[in-house]
Amino acid sequence: MPALRAVPTVCLVLAAAMAGMLFAPVFGVPALLLAIAVPAAAVLLVALLSDGRKAVRDWRALLAVLAGLLAVTETVLWSTTTAGLPTVRTVRALAAGVTDSWQLALQSTWPARPDPALLLFVPLLVVFAAVLGVELLDRARDPLVALLPSFAVVLLSQLYAALPPRPGAVAALGYATIAGTVLVASRTGREDERRPVPQRRVLPTLAGLAPPMALAVLGALLAGALLPAAPARYSLRQGQGAPLAEAGITSPLDEIAGRLTHPGTAVFRVGNATDVDRWSLVVLDEFDGVNWTPGERYRRLGAELRPSPAVTVPLRSRTATIDAAGTGGPWLPSQTLPAEVQGIDPLVAEGHGTLLLPGSDGTARYELRWWQPQLDTETLADAGIDPLAPLGGVGVVPPGVAELAGQAVRGMRPSFQTALVLEDFFRKNYRLAVGQNLPTGHAWPQLTDFLLHGKRGTSEQFAAAYVALARMRGIPARLTVGFRAPTQRDPDGWYTVRNGDVLAWPEVAVQGIGWVPLDPGGAASESGTTNGGGLAALAERVRAQLPAPEDLRDPPVSSRHRAGDEGSDGGRGSYVPWAALVVVPVALLVGWSLGVPAIWSVRSWRRRRRPGAGAVVGAWEEVRDRLRAYGVVVSPGMTIRDLGTGAAAVTDRATVAEIRKLGSLVDQTLWSGTVPGEQRTAQAWAAVRAVRRGLARRGWRVRLRALFDPRGLLPPR
């Protein structure tokens, strides 16, 4: 093949390989390099050798695919071969690479483990994009069409994990350069084929390459200047999680009283761990007034779980060996910020740190590595509540509890100091239950009796009541169940954690630090397990330094929360891309004005098309979200009748009556036990239309504002 004719083919294969390397945020560069380079080289070799040979040309695509698959087998699936020869296992693994691999990668934390079961779809994409690109180059009139397969892989990679602005600009520059080379070299090669004696081809070719190169550089600079530095708003992994078998698993929160009645039973042993306050089993952050449940999806734990960007304090890597004799469920002892697990392949809730081994009773031996924040008491005492942390719901609050919450924090605004004041309130006014006949339960009936009458409970009631009251006062808090760390070593140097060490505790979201554990019942403090260097010990020391009750004051508002002239960079000057001030707002405005109403319409249509009772419930959801768009405050625990009361502030009595009528239809549907007929569904959506007409009577300005308000498209918080 003449050198100039080979250039487009080489560039197309290179474009496919480069597109595959854009999956680096998912798997890392070292894991992808060999897995992509060898199959791409195999495809390129077949394409170059078959050019000009008419007998082979018709078989080129098949031969290139076979060569690429063989290269994938030798590099990624070597363990499935026999002395390098493909087997039935190899064929099954390749089939799984097409059907399952891409989905397993979405269900994992990133960077994912470079296992063939997860990684395989990337080299397969590169092989097929390269082969298809070469065939389109030979058969299509426009060489630009040949770039479409590799560009599709580029788009898919960014839907998995978008590159940050600077690497993205470099990738855009590289891909644009390759694309320009393909276009110019293809055009020059075709012109030369029509010339009987090609002459002076080098200078025209270089001159032709100059414009696309300049365009590539300009595009890369614009991409680096205009692309936002914030994480991508959308990824294919949103809503994805590792599937869990539906089975009746007892919550560790329900087992606290039972464990305390058998305190000597060993649960797990820990080696090579010092200055550890607690070991968590499960985080429960959703409360509907009856049940506490985890609110986060589980994923397969990848090669390393990196700390959350919200944690800005210095971190230190810690390790421990854990030998669990059986925790009574699939949960495994963990820490708030796990980084890596060796010895087993668990699932993990990224924001919780919860480790779960499906199908297990908690029996496992593994090495856990985690991140531990490094800070002093002054830093923690001056920290504020994380404003971006989810607040969480509390269900329907019983009478008297809201007043108690206000008295407990002395009317102070939400802050970490307020969280410590609430902890101190529990320490001084409630007592920890010991012995036999221990209180159980963590729903509002039990918590109301604990808060207003008995004032005696285990850590189960202390933690659940604390989280509920903290949320009512605007403090983001969650409930964790686990074990306090023993203070005494065994003769062999290990620590044995027993049933008597079981503990439930609240955690509060602190800005820049993460979730800080507290101890409202004082169970951990009395055992001496908050004397170490963990966050629980630090929080205990800060609580001990609180001023006297009569001297408590709201901490001053940080200057970074006040309106000012300085930006987040501390007043340093920065380059402003003026083009973004025009192009980006216009694009956003157009997308907003068309996208938001379209999403409203599509969602309404889908809700009405739900089968059975879903259509009636969908009508209630539609009314709820429409009212939210008109400014009605809606919490997750509100009933339909509560919503009607709140709607009275924005609409007339007739519309409120329609909302209450819809509430009766929903109650009949949910409690009758029968599938609603078309008449009831029609009545429910007739109520929706009546509510919309009532809201429209407020005027066209309010109506337009509600139409383009995206808050109603998000779940109520």
Side-chain angles (χ1 to χ4, degrees):
M1 174 184 285
L4 191 57
R5 286 179 55 190
V7 170
T9 302
V10 173
C11 288
L12 283 173
V13 176
L14 184 60
M18 180 180 177
M21 290 301 299
L22 296 183
F23 284 93
V26 180
F27 297 102
V29 173
L32 291 174
L33 198 56
L34 192 63
I36 289 176
V38 175
V43 172
L44 178 61
L45 183 62
V46 171
L48 295 178
L49 292 178
S50 61
D51 186 77
R53 294 175 174 84
K54 295 182 179 180
V56 182
R57 181 178 177 182
D58 293 338
W59 299 90
R60 179 177 58 192
L62 178 60
L63 293 175
V65 169
L66 292 177
L69 293 181
L70 182 60
V72 171
T73 299
E74 301 302 319
T75 53
V76 181
L77 298 176
W78 177 265
S79 61
T80 67
T81 65
T82 300
L85 297 177
T87 63
V88 175
R89 286 182 57 202
T90 306
V91 176
R92 291 175 178 171
L94 288 172
V98 176
T99 59
D100 300 334
S101 176
W102 60 273
Q103 190 171 8
L104 294 177
L106 292 175
Q107 296 171 0
S108 171
T109 62
W110 295 343
R113 297 176 185 264
D115 296 336
L118 280 70
L119 176 71
L120 192 55
F121 78 100
V122 179
L124 291 179
L125 281 174
V126 171
V127 168
F128 289 111
V131 172
L132 187 56
V134 171
E135 293 301 312
L136 289 174
L137 179 67
D138 190 35
R139 303 175 191 277
R141 293 183 178 180
D142 190 350
L144 187 63
V145 177
L147 290 165
L148 293 180
S150 61
F151 189 69
V153 178
V154 170
L155 293 180
L156 182 62
S157 70
Q158 298 311 289
L159 288 176
Y160 264 71
L163 290 175
R166 291 184 180 178
V170 174
L173 173 61
Y175 190 85
T177 303
I178 294 172
T181 305
V182 169
L183 297 177
V184 174
S186 298
R187 185 182 305 114
T188 304
R190 290 178 180 177
E191 291 175 355
D192 287 346
E193 288 178 355
R194 292 192 288 267
R195 295 174 183 171
V197 181
Q199 295 178 352
R200 297 182 182 179
R201 294 183 301 175
V202 177
L203 290 179
T205 300
L206 293 178
L209 284 173
M213 286 292 293
L215 184 61
V217 173
L218 179 61
L221 293 177
L222 288 177
L226 300 181
L227 286 177
R233 295 294 181 182
Y234 176 77
S235 171
L236 287 175
R237 73 197 303 250
Q238 292 178 0
Q240 292 284 340
L244 294 176
E246 295 185 2
I249 301 176
T250 303
S251 170
L253 189 61
D254 296 323
E255 298 177 337
I256 291 179
R259 288 186 182 276
L260 291 175
T261 58
H262 302 84
T265 303
V267 182
F268 61 95
R269 304 184 73 220
V270 181
N272 305 323
T274 57
D275 285 338
V276 177
D277 299 319
R278 301 172 192 181
W279 296 97
S280 65
L281 277 185
V282 64
V283 172
L284 307 171
D285 56 359
E286 289 193 354
F287 180 48
D288 59 3
V290 178
N291 299 307
W292 292 86
T293 55
E296 187 166 338
R297 293 178 179 270
Y298 289 94
R299 298 185 181 275
R300 292 175 172 84
L301 182 60
E304 181 184 64
L305 192 58
R306 293 166 181 167
S308 168
V311 180
T312 58
V313 297
L315 299 171
R316 181 162 67 105
S317 179
R318 301 286 309 279
T319 59
T321 302
I322 300 175
D323 188 1
T327 58
W331 296 278
L332 299 174
S334 179
Q335 292 290 324
T336 303
L337 298 174
E340 185 182 7
V341 173
Q342 297 290 339
I344 57 174
D345 294 326
L347 305 181
V348 63
E350 293 177 89
H352 294 171
T354 302
L355 297 180
L356 184 145
L357 197 60
S360 169
D361 62 351
T363 303
R365 184 183 177 94
Y366 56 97
E367 183 173 292
L368 173 68
R369 184 168 68 88
W370 71 93
W371 307 104
Q372 181 167 306
Q374 302 296 297
L375 66 158
D376 52 26
T377 54
E378 292 184 3
T379 303
L380 182 58
D382 295 338
I385 292 298
D386 187 353
L388 300 180
L391 184 60
V394 294
V396 179
V397 180
V401 175
E403 293 77 4
L404 177 67
Q407 297 170 8
V409 300
R410 301 175 179 271
M412 297 173 61
R413 62 176 174 80
S415 66
F416 183 62
Q417 177 178 287
T418 306
L420 295 177
V421 170
L422 181 59
E423 181 189 34
D424 197 57
F425 172 80
F426 276 92
R427 292 277 190 97
K428 293 178 178 178
N429 295 279
Y430 299 85
R431 60 192 178 95
L432 196 64
V434 295
Q436 301 298 317
N437 299 321
L438 296 175
T440 60
H442 41 260
W444 269 126
Q446 293 83 13
L447 296 183
T448 304
D449 181 72
F450 167 71
L451 289 169
L452 302 180
H453 306 293
K455 299 186 178 183
R456 171 182 174 271
T458 65
S459 63
E460 174 185 1
Q461 288 79 43
F462 272 91
Y466 180 96
V467 172
L469 265 60
R471 291 179 175 182
M472 292 166 59
R473 299 303 302 176
I475 301 173
R478 66 186 190 184
L479 190 154
T480 303
V481 184
F483 298 86
R484 54 181 166 243
T487 57
Q488 300 297 323
R489 293 177 182 263
D490 296 339
D492 58 1
W494 286 53
Y495 294 92
T496 299
V497 179
R498 306 181 185 278
N499 274 344
D501 298 313
V502 69
L503 185 67
W505 65 86
E507 294 180 343
V508 173
V510 180
Q511 190 170 25
I513 299 172
W515 293 95
V516 177
L518 301 178
D519 185 23
S525 302
E526 292 179 2
S527 65
T529 57
T530 56
N531 297 323
L535 282 180
L538 232 62
E540 180 67 17
R541 290 196 282 271
V542 174
R543 188 196 64 81
Q545 298 171 5
L546 282 176
E550 60 273 11
D551 297 329
L552 286 172
R553 299 290 186 275
D554 277 326
V557 179
S558 173
S559 59
R560 64 173 173 266
H561 295 305
R562 301 191 188 109
D565 297 329
E566 294 185 354
S568 60
D569 60 352
R572 296 190 300 270
S574 60
Y575 170 74
V576 178
W578 296 105
L581 299 179
V582 178
V583 177
V584 175
V586 170
L588 290 176
L589 180 61
V590 173
W592 190 294
S593 60
L594 296 178
V596 173
I599 295 174
W600 274 109
S601 300
V602 171
R603 191 177 66 175
S604 178
W605 178 82
R606 292 184 62 184
R607 283 172 171 172
R608 185 163 186 175
R609 297 279 295 179
R610 290 176 183 173
V616 179
V617 176
W620 139 244
E621 293 173 346
E622 185 71 11
V623 168
R624 177 198 65 190
D625 295 337
R626 293 286 178 178
L627 290 173
R628 289 170 56 213
Y630 278 83
V632 176
V633 179
V634 178
S635 65
M638 287 182 68
T639 64
I640 301 179
R641 291 166 180 79
D642 294 335
L643 187 62
T645 303
V650 300
T651 188
D652 51 25
R653 294 182 179 180
T655 306
V656 173
E658 289 293 334
I659 296 174
R660 291 173 177 167
K661 176 182 176 182
L662 176 60
S664 299
L665 292 173
V666 173
D667 288 341
Q668 294 173 19
T669 301
L670 296 179
W671 296 105
S672 65
T674 60
V675 178
E678 294 182 1
Q679 182 179 1
R680 188 181 301 171
T681 302
Q683 291 175 349
W685 283 94
V688 174
R689 291 190 294 272
V691 171
R692 294 182 62 178
R693 288 194 297 269
L695 294 172
R697 287 193 287 270
R698 297 196 61 197
W700 64 270
R701 292 183 179 179
V702 178
R703 187 177 181 182
L704 282 179
R705 186 170 62 237
L707 178 63
F708 296 107
D709 191 344
R711 290 178 295 180
L713 300 175
L714 303 175
R717 298 176 59 183

